Amino acid sequence: MPLLEPKPGALRPRSVTAPAPDRVPDRRATGTPETLRRELTELLGADKVLWKISDLVRYASDASPYRFVPQVVVVAEDIDDVSTVLSYAHGKQREVVFRAAGTSLNGQAQGEDILVDVRRHWAGVEVLEEGRRARIQPGTTVLRANAALARHGRILGPDPASAIACTLGGVVANNASGMTAGTTRNSYRTLSSLTFVLPSGTVVDTAGPLADEELAHAEPALCHGLMEIKKEIEADPELVARIRAKYEIKNTTGYRLDAYLDGSTPVEILRGLMVGSEGTLGFISEVVFDTLPLDRELTSALLFFPSLPAAAAAVPLFNEAGALAVELMDGNTLRASVAVEGVPADWARLPKDTTALLVEFRAPDEAGRAEYERRAAGVLARLDLVAPVASATNAFTRDAKTISGYWKARKAFVTAVGGARASGTTLITEDFAVPPSRLAEACEALLELQAEHGFDAAVAGHAAHGNLHFLLAFDAAKPADVERYAAFMDAFCRLTVERFDGSLKAEHSTGRNMAPFLELEWGPRATELMWRTKRVIDPDLVLAPRILLDRDPKAHLRGLKTIPQVEAVADPCIECGFCEPTCPSEDLTTTPRQRIVLRREMMRQQPGSPVLGGLLDAYGYDAVDTCAGDSTCKLACPVGIDTGALMKDFRHRRHSPREERTAALAAQRFRTVEAAARLAVAAADKITDTVGDRVLEAVTGLARRAVRPDLVPEWLPQIPGAPARKQPATRRVGAAAVYYPACVNRIFGGPEGRPGPSLPEAVVAVSERAGRPVWIPRDVTGTCCATIWHSKGYEAGNRVMANRIVEAAWGWTAGGRLPLVVDASSCTLGISHEVVLYLTDDNRALHAELRIVDSIVWAAEELLPHLEIRRTIGSAVLHPTCSMRHLDDEAQLRAVAEACADEVVVPYDAGCCAFAGDRGMLHPELTESATAREAAEVTAREFDAHLSANRMCEVGMDRATGRSYYSALLELERATRP
């Protein structure tokens, strides 16, 4: 055992109440049953079968209020794997559920037997016909697909609020629509073709010229059964009229029976049935969309009304004027949205009944926008609006930043309101539609019903389409609360169907919580046809039973999850999954959501339970060690949950007092540590020049095993040598800024073999050329941004260095009169933001006076306007660092690069490299996983330069791509060199 191996017990929950009723039972502690695990491993390989209890628990939750622990998780790589699992399930009478992003709100992504992950290996976009169509893999997020299409002026029709995380396979399988899709731009209407795997394993490409002939040969009974149902429906004019009427408004309850009317062959019928089938009829392995024009000329307004019914009454006016989106947010939603960064703080003081409409018009050109603005002005003149707070302007705007802020608040509806719920309560998201002309009446009825059952729900939705969402919170551990929720659901469903003839699910799909009410909405005849459809396509009921069809009238009350209280930073989490696509460890171990899910299960367990022991054993590596600590999850989370900060706190908890003292001593004597580190790097460089990298790899490998892998870095061939011992000469007199070369650039040199100056020399040179000279203090040695200690959770050392750097910067900058320019983005973030919590009160006051500027921002804003570009390169690819995302200065990196290169490319899949200072040396597998997709894009073509803004991130990308990355400032120096 390593000398300093942390004990899992250090992460044991500090306060555990009575065991939760829905805790994972002790008998599941060993994970997947041995026979099931062995048989699937023999068929698929060990790397595709996840079996530990921690694996099963982290896959047990999605964005819904339900929780079901699978027996096993299979990570499918291709259609062959999917077919193998389906064949196995048929032979063993088992059940299969497919899961992609897990953003579904009704439990569609949860299974109780075999759960198949179809996200990890299923991403990719192929733009066709100059963007008019797109071939997309099912694990691709909507955001990623639209990014590829935007370059062609096109966009997908569906635009769910969860576009940052939800994948196209799930969008199609749920017929998710969103703010603007309505009934004309959703998946059903804009899908050109799809490829899917039937429960039998038969693969169907609906675009294939011989698709019907091949299907008839492979599945004669299925084809006959579908055509028989089609004949029955068409022979019943009343039923035909009913089906057509149901889809005049948004509706995702049950199977798309209009597929039998719109399709003339079995393949065409299946193409329609697959949309909204929630994985119960087959696995969608590829989709081809007909795309829509991306109208870029916008005018938008956030309009405030005294009440929900008053706002609803205004919706038809904007629909008539041609608005593409009319989004409604009630007072509870608006007030909760204050937790979202950028939302005006005065919304917290809005009166209870205040309601807002977010109205947007989109046009292809300026003339079209002007016409829409004229129409909008006419509508505004007829409205009685209110302005209860100063930020309520009630005016249309073209300002992109303002419009983006409006949409950020609207899209955060579920997460912001959910984050504001009472701790320990479960969140239910309901989604229904009524004829738009009756929206105001439905709003009044909904408010009355909520009050009757003791709920004060938050309401928002796509008002233009008569589609509202509302959120309820209750404690699933209290039977009385569950009964109250059940009574409300019964009354709500009757109200929606019997009074408004509405849709019980407008766009979130049936799921577990509406399956018992399917017959209430559709009636016995249509419902029985849906059951027949299921039996025709999946006669053995292998796929996702009980998710869309369930005869149990109380099925929606089964599997409701409790939400035990966890650490304060993570407690607001509603497990939406928005954080997952940005997480560097997403494809290696766990995601931020899963880290919190696992922590909650620990809280459900009683002390000493074997399940708790199993979770703790895995959590150290799976959650804590392989977290990059980049906190980009905080940026993706609408309520700013920083799981990276939580993992750093857990690292701190695992430290022994001796470790903390040693780390603090290293901070106190950092001048000596820095000199030793630089000497070691220089020596290592000479050793590798003489005998190669294998000796150092072997030595560090032995040290890692003897001490601890999370403390001793692994030697990597990409590690650069040491820089020049002395910094370039500068003068304080006349300096426009203080230049702080980060310790990483004082210890490590630039790219090996690249001619030209060092980074400090380049910064000094370009600043001088622009007439904005900088000064490097002589006593920078021995100082640091404190990130070294912060990232590892060494609080004492962090405090030492945080206070030292602020005191030093205060003196260097003459009390903040000069800006402090920092040449590594992570260090800029560290000094400007991360040190603040660890400062004394006096030093916090000094810090408030400092102006800390990243060197890329300094170059873009202060130097470029005064520099002459003398030469450019053909192309450059950028790696914006995660720190740059926090600092919001990616645009400045692009500006510097565009001054130096004729073509500048930011990969679609650019993200955190997870090198994270030295974490990429402690856990090289983390960087390898985090950079895989970005590296594939970068290496798919040649670039003249590979640019970034942080030395260790550049090393990480060197390792990932085999290309040489370097600072954009080095390229700027070359471009402006006389």
Side-chain angles (χ1 to χ4, degrees):
M1 175 180 289
L3 294 176
L4 297 176
E5 185 71 11
K7 296 180 180 179
L11 301 180
R12 194 174 301 279
R14 294 174 174 175
S15 60
V16 180
T17 58
D22 63 334
R23 69 187 182 279
V24 177
D26 290 351
R27 57 183 170 77
R28 299 293 307 274
T30 56
T32 300
E34 175 58 32
T35 301
L36 177 60
R37 173 187 170 190
R38 185 186 70 252
E39 290 174 348
L40 285 174
T41 298
E42 290 172 353
L43 290 170
L44 300 164
D47 57 328
K48 297 178 185 177
V49 180
L50 304 181
W51 60 272
K52 294 185 302 182
I53 186 59
S54 60
D55 294 324
L56 306 184
V57 168
R58 67 187 172 97
Y59 273 95
S61 294
D62 59 11
S64 79
Y66 300 98
R67 195 172 78 105
F68 292 95
V69 182
Q71 292 289 324
V72 67
V73 177
V74 171
V75 182
E77 288 189 9
D78 50 33
I79 285 181
D80 287 343
D81 285 347
V82 172
S83 296
T84 297
V85 171
L86 291 174
S87 177
Y88 176 82
H90 274 288
K92 300 291 183 176
Q93 291 79 53
R94 305 200 74 106
E95 301 168 358
V96 176
V97 170
F98 298 108
R99 176 188 175 115
T103 55
S104 59
L105 297 167
N106 300 314
Q108 298 98 309
Q110 298 178 28
E112 300 172 72
D113 194 2
I114 301 174
L115 186 70
V116 183
D117 181 327
V118 290
R119 178 201 56 80
R120 186 180 302 183
H121 299 291
W122 299 82
V125 182
E126 181 185 1
V127 177
L128 307 170
E129 300 172 18
E130 298 181 338
R132 288 188 294 275
R133 295 165 71 231
R135 188 186 311 279
I136 308 172
Q137 300 302 303
T140 308
T141 65
V142 175
L143 184 70
R144 171 67 175 83
N146 278 334
L149 290 168
R151 293 183 182 179
H152 303 270
R154 308 291 292 186
I155 194 171
L156 294 175
D159 64 336
S162 56
I164 187 176
C166 69
T167 59
L168 267 301
V171 167
V172 174
N174 291 284
N175 198 22
S177 47
M179 275 70 68
T180 64
T183 58
T184 60
R185 296 162 60 106
N186 60 21
S187 295
Y188 190 82
R189 299 299 178 192
T190 61
L191 198 63
S192 174
S193 67
L194 72 164
T195 301
F196 54 86
V197 185
L198 290 168
S200 62
T202 299
V203 179
V204 180
D205 177 1
T206 64
L210 301 177
D212 273 298
E213 181 180 328
E214 293 169 353
L215 182 64
H217 177 73
E219 305 276 355
L222 182 150
C223 292
H224 176 75
L226 292 179
M227 296 308 290
E228 284 298 305
I229 295 174
K230 175 179 172 64
K231 289 178 183 177
E232 287 187 34
I233 292 175
E234 291 179 335
D236 186 340
E238 185 177 343
L239 180 59
V240 169
R242 179 62 178 159
I243 291 171
R244 290 300 189 194
K246 289 295 291 177
Y247 294 109
E248 289 179 359
I249 62 174
K250 293 174 70 171
N251 191 327
T252 59
T253 311
Y255 292 128
R256 291 279 317 205
L257 291 182
D258 57 345
Y260 287 106
L261 302 177
D262 298 332
S264 58
T265 70
V267 167
E268 291 177 0
I269 293 170
L270 281 171
R271 173 231 170 267
L273 285 172
M274 286 293 166
V275 178
S277 63
E278 305 175 54
T280 64
L281 301 180
F283 166 60
I284 298 171
S285 62
E286 184 179 86
V287 294
V288 178
F289 273 94
D290 292 321
T291 66
L292 302 171
L294 176 59
D295 293 336
R296 300 179 188 270
E297 304 300 323
L298 312 181
T299 183
S300 306
L302 191 64
L303 308 175
F304 290 81
F305 296 80
S307 68
L308 183 61
V315 172
L317 303 178
F318 287 109
N319 284 345
E320 293 169 7
L324 184 62
V326 184
E327 294 293 298
L328 182 146
M329 293 178 279
D330 77 342
N332 287 339
T333 301
L334 293 167
R335 287 186 294 275
S337 296
V338 172
V340 179
E341 185 177 356
V343 170
D346 61 7
W347 284 16
R349 300 192 300 274
L350 286 168
K352 183 180 187 306
D353 294 332
T354 302
T355 302
L357 290 181
L358 170 53
V359 183
E360 183 162 288
F361 295 87
R362 300 180 191 174
D365 51 38
E366 174 58 32
R369 177 163 63 178
E371 171 59 21
Y372 279 138
E373 288 174 332
R374 185 189 66 78
R375 297 183 193 178
V379 174
L380 285 181
R382 301 163 59 185
L383 301 178
D384 292 323
L385 301 174
V386 296
V389 293
S391 65
T393 61
N394 290 323
F396 277 85
T397 179
R398 297 181 173 189
D399 181 68
K401 186 174 182 180
T402 301
I403 294 172
S404 176
Y406 292 159
W407 280 109
K408 188 175 182 181
R410 168 60 190 92
K411 291 180 179 181
F413 163 61
V414 173
T415 48
V417 174
R421 77 196 188 285
S423 181
T425 57
T426 298
L427 189 70
I428 300 282
T429 306
E430 293 303 339
D431 156 54
F432 73 108
V434 300
S437 62
R438 302 188 66 186
L439 182 65
E441 181 187 354
C443 288
E444 290 182 347
L446 177 62
L447 293 176
E448 292 174 2
L449 192 64
Q450 289 175 8
E452 179 183 339
H453 290 270
F455 287 108
D456 184 18
V459 181
H462 318 307
H465 311 292
N467 177 198
L468 291 182
H469 308 312
F470 62 92
L471 304 180
L472 305 174
F474 66 93
D475 190 340
K478 296 180 179 178
D481 249 20
V482 174
E483 290 175 9
R484 181 166 62 101
Y485 164 66
F488 173 83
M489 281 297 293
D490 288 342
F492 162 70
C493 291
R494 288 196 306 273
L495 173 75
T496 302
V497 172
E498 295 170 1
R499 180 169 169 181
F500 296 101
D501 193 19
S503 305
L504 293 174
K505 284 297 177 186
E507 62 176 359
H508 293 169
S509 223
T510 315
R512 295 178 182 273
N513 76 324
M514 207 52 73
F517 303 98
L518 180 63
E519 187 169 330
L520 173 66
E521 176 175 338
W522 275 97
R525 174 86 169 100
T527 302
E528 187 53 38
L529 288 172
M530 293 181 189
W531 276 98
R532 280 181 58 192
T533 296
K534 170 69 170 173
R535 288 193 293 268
V536 164
I537 299 173
D538 183 17
D540 295 329
L541 303 182
V542 167
L543 288 182
R546 297 177 296 282
I547 282 180
L548 188 149
L549 298 171
D550 198 325
R551 299 194 191 276
D552 179 359
K554 294 186 177 181
H556 59 302
L557 306 179
R558 190 174 73 93
L560 290 169
K561 65 185 173 188
T562 62
I563 305 292
Q565 187 172 4
V566 292
E567 285 75 11
V569 66
D571 197 53
C573 177
I574 63 165
E575 303 173 8
C576 68
F578 284 23
C579 56
E580 293 192 336
T582 193
C583 179
S585 59
E586 177 189 26
D587 291 335
L588 179 67
T589 50
T590 58
T591 66
R593 170 170 61 176
Q594 291 174 338
R595 290 176 168 96
I596 296 171
V597 163
L598 288 166
R599 193 64 178 164
R600 283 178 171 158
E601 182 56 37
M602 293 181 198
M603 299 296 182
R604 293 187 184 99
Q605 294 293 320
Q606 60 186 355
S609 80
V611 171
L612 177 59
L615 296 179
L616 287 169
D617 286 344
Y619 202 76
Y621 176 79
D622 287 353
V624 181
D625 293 344
T626 52
C627 173
D630 61 305
S631 293
T632 51
C633 51
K634 177 182 178 180
L635 301 179
C637 176
V639 293
I641 294 173
D642 189 348
T643 312
L646 178 61
M647 295 303 108
K648 291 170 188 173
D649 177 61
F650 285 164
R651 289 170 189 167
H652 172 67
R653 294 189 196 181
R654 297 193 304 174
H655 296 156
S656 68
R658 183 175 66 175
E659 281 186 80
E660 281 288 325
R661 288 194 299 271
T662 301
L665 184 63
Q668 293 164 3
R669 301 181 180 178
F670 190 62
R671 179 184 294 272
T672 301
V673 171
E674 179 183 333
R678 188 191 171 285
L679 184 62
V681 169
D685 192 38
K686 291 182 179 180
I687 292 172
T688 56
D689 285 345
T690 304
V691 298
D693 294 293
R694 290 186 178 180
V695 172
L696 287 177
E697 290 173 351
V699 170
T700 57
L702 287 172
R704 283 163 60 81
R705 288 191 291 274
V707 181
R708 184 167 118 205
D710 206 48
L711 284 179
V712 180
E714 177 180 327
W715 176 260
L716 303 178
Q718 293 78 18
I719 300 299
R725 183 171 301 175
K726 293 184 178 180
Q727 299 295 335
T730 57
R731 298 182 59 197
R732 183 167 190 169
V733 176
V738 176
Y739 170 32
Y740 180 68
C743 67
V744 67
N745 293 318
R746 304 195 303 265
I747 295 172
F748 297 102
E752 184 177 353
R754 187 180 186 279
S758 66
L759 178 58
E761 290 170 341
V763 173
V764 169
V766 293
S767 297
E768 188 71 37
R769 288 171 199 162
R772 304 284 287 161
V774 294
W775 169 63
I776 302 175
R778 293 184 178 180
D779 57 345
V780 295
T781 303
T783 63
C784 173
C785 65
T787 300
I788 295 173
W789 293 268
H790 180 251
S791 66
K792 292 180 172 59
Y794 289 113
E795 289 194 4
N798 195 5
R799 292 185 188 281
V800 170
M801 191 54 73
N803 284 281
R804 180 186 298 174
I805 186 60
V806 168
E807 291 167 2
W810 176 258
W812 296 333
T813 62
R817 284 192 286 274
L818 291 177
L820 183 73
V821 176
V822 185
D823 66 2
S825 58
S826 61
C827 302
T828 309
L829 178 66
I831 299 174
S832 60
H833 296 286
E834 293 175 346
V835 301
V836 175
L837 289 176
Y838 303 92
L839 299 176
T840 64
D841 291 342
D842 289 344
N843 283 342
R844 194 171 289 120
L846 298 184
H847 183 274
E849 299 296 323
L850 296 177
R851 287 181 291 155
I852 300 154
V853 181
D854 190 75
S855 56
I856 293 292
V857 176
W858 171 254
E861 297 179 358
E862 297 291 337
L863 307 185
L864 269 182
H866 308 290
L867 289 171
E868 178 185 355
I869 303 298
R870 298 173 178 269
R871 60 192 66 82
T872 60
I873 54 177
S875 62
V877 63
L878 305 185
H879 174 70
T881 69
C882 53
S883 296
M884 301 186 84
R885 288 189 59 197
H886 285 284
L887 295 165
D888 195 23
D889 57 15
E890 293 172 275
Q892 286 89 338
L893 176 63
R894 178 180 278 276
V896 171
E898 287 177 343
C900 305
D902 301 328
E903 178 195 12
V904 173
V905 174
V906 177
Y908 292 122
D909 289 312
C912 176
C913 68
F915 212 81
D918 66 352
R919 192 141 298 267
M921 293 185 280
L922 298 172
H923 297 287
E925 70 278 12
L926 176 59
T927 290
E928 181 181 355
S929 177
T931 56
R933 292 179 183 174
E934 181 179 357
E937 283 190 71
V938 170
T939 56
R941 57 163 287 190
E942 293 296 321
F943 292 96
D944 296 317
H946 300 75
L947 307 178
S948 191
N950 188 291
R951 190 70 194 102
M952 299 318 290
C953 296
E954 291 156 15
V955 172
M957 292 306 299
D958 288 355
R959 180 170 174 79
T961 65
R963 311 293 196 265
S964 180
Y965 276 76
Y966 55 92
S967 172
L969 298 182
L970 293 175
E971 193 58 47
L972 181 64
E973 188 282 326
R974 193 199 71 84
T976 60
R977 192 182 304 163

